[in-house]
Amino acid sequence: MNLDADSWVLGADYAAAPTCATCHMSGHSKNGGRVTHDPGERISWTNRPPVSRVMDTDAEHRIVTASDPAERGVLIHDSADSKRSRMKNVCSNCHTPAYIDAFYVQYDDLVVLYNEKFAKPGQAIMEALLREGLRTPTQFDDEIEWTWFYLWHHEGRRARHGASMMAPDYTHWHGMYEVAERFYMELIPQAREMIAHGAQSGHDAAAAHVGDVVDSILARPEHKWFSEGAAEQAERIQQEMQRRYGPAAAPLPETGGTTR
Ligand code: HEC
Ligand code: HEC
């Protein structure tokens, strides 16, 4: 990697493998060797908040939240697309365009899946509990506040950062697998327990409102299996695996066939 060289421009002085600096800060042969000390210049999503956001930023580097396209057009000073193009230019010193585009398809799909299936629903449940007075505004005095923090801050960030930096094990086993377990096995049962307590202690209307939020989330197609079972989907997956890999492939999960 020519680390002792005075000049360290990707594509000119080295091309073996990238470091953090290569991708986030260093100059390269396709940007005239210009170094930046603003890592945000090449980042299109922020994966730090509970729900990831697209990094269309204004002149003060703040995320533009306006939804009206005309208003956005005026406010956006540096778009997420421009930031992404700058990063793609770095990658393109070592990879072909199709390879880089395929990476970004997978990355976007993962972040959107996390956002839509778990993060926005989790946030809606937490907001409903607060609004209806079933949890206190004090952070971390209710068990569910720890659960939610683990879901987005630990596991959800691991999944998203894993996907953003080509780490499949972090994306799945230390990421989305744990997000899903936390959501179905802790967040939902704890919310239901709080709803039941609310109803028992005379807060019927509040309990019913939060109950509606939880029920409507679990009624969506992507969550339906949780209450209704997934025998049909499992059958379809098994058929597809056998079509691809032959009759011995993919026993159903109940038979212990899928492990890491
Ligand atoms: C192969 C290039 C590459 C390398 C090497 C790399 N990164 Fe990244 N990093 C990325 C990409 C791509 C993203 C996601 C960019 C986007 O959102 O468009 C990212 C995202 C991040 C983020 C997330 C920022 C946020 O707000 O969500 C952090 C933090 C980060 N990188 C730190 C590091 C550190 C520290 C290292 C070295 C240990 C490193 N990166 C190495 C390409 C790289
Ligand atoms: C300095 C050259 C260099 C740069 C810059 C670079 N890569 Fe790579 N990348 C490599 C090499 C070399 C490998 C193969 C590592 C191996 O075979 O173990 C690799 C592997 C990968 C992989 C496969 C990882 C896996 O688990 O199999 C992906 C995806 C990838 N790079 C995407 C990117 C993206 C996206 C960028 C820009 C954000 C980028 N790379 C920037 C050199 C680079």
Side-chain angles (χ1 to χ4, degrees):
M1 292 173 72
N2 206 12
L3 289 170
D4 295 329
D6 288 338
S7 152
W8 202 62
V9 175
L10 171 63
D13 302 307
Y14 72 104
T19 68
C20 316
T22 304
C23 291
H24 289 289
M25 302 171 79
S26 297
H28 58 90
S29 68
K30 302 188 180 186
N31 81 342
R34 194 181 69 83
V35 176
T36 176
H37 284 265
D38 174 7
E41 274 187 17
R42 300 175 186 171
I43 289 181
S44 61
W45 284 103
T46 169
N47 293 319
R48 286 168 298 145
V51 176
S52 290
R53 313 197 62 157
V54 170
M55 291 291 287
D56 286 330
T57 48
D58 66 15
E60 254 80 65
H61 297 271
R62 290 175 308 215
I63 293 179
V64 174
T65 53
S67 52
D68 176 58
E71 209 182 320
R72 290 185 72 80
V74 175
L75 289 172
I76 293 172
H77 179 78
D78 188 28
S79 71
D81 281 345
S82 315
K83 294 179 170 80
R84 179 168 293 195
S85 301
R86 284 180 212 122
M87 183 66 93
K88 284 183 168 182
N89 274 338
V90 178
C91 319
S92 70
N93 285 277
C94 303
H95 296 294
T96 59
Y99 195 79
I100 300 164
D101 289 343
F103 160 79
Y104 275 100
V105 169
Q106 289 191 314
Y107 173 38
D108 286 347
D109 282 356
L110 185 290
V111 174
V112 171
L113 175 73
Y114 162 83
N115 268 2
E116 300 302 324
K117 187 168 179 182
F118 298 109
K120 289 182 186 174
Q123 202 168 48
I125 292 169
M126 294 304 286
E127 280 168 9
L129 286 166
L130 185 65
R131 193 172 56 240
E132 299 296 337
L134 297 190
R135 76 175 169 95
T136 67
T138 307
Q139 282 295 318
F140 298 117
D141 64 334
D142 291 304
E143 192 183 6
I144 199 167
E145 288 158 352
W146 294 82
T147 300
W148 171 234
F149 189 68
Y150 277 120
L151 193 157
W152 72 264
H153 182 269
H154 291 54
E155 294 138 3
R157 271 191 184 168
R158 276 205 293 273
R160 291 174 280 164
H161 282 185
S164 76
M165 281 174 280
M166 307 109 210
D169 210 30
Y170 277 93
T171 306
H172 298 290
W173 303 120
H174 302 294
M176 291 307 284
Y177 171 84
E178 295 188 344
V179 167
E181 187 198 20
R182 188 76 69 185
F183 185 83
Y184 293 118
M185 294 297 125
E186 293 189 23
L187 190 88
I188 296 293
Q190 285 166 13
R192 288 200 159 136
E193 200 182 321
M194 294 171 89
I195 293 165
H197 283 172
Q200 281 156 15
S201 56
H203 301 92
D204 295 301
H209 288 153
V210 184
D212 286 346
V213 171
V214 174
D215 290 345
S216 67
I217 287 166
L218 292 180
R220 295 180 192 166
E222 66 270 31
H223 293 298
K224 251 187 172 164
W225 69 272
F226 184 55
S227 40
E228 293 182 3
E232 212 181 288
Q233 283 102 312
E235 176 70 26
R236 275 207 302 275
I237 291 168
Q238 187 180 25
Q239 281 166 7
E240 173 61 16
M241 295 298 269
Q242 290 182 347
R243 188 189 66 76
R244 280 197 217 176
Y245 305 115
L252 287 172
E254 291 89 325
T255 65
T258 53
T259 65
R260 55 176 301 194

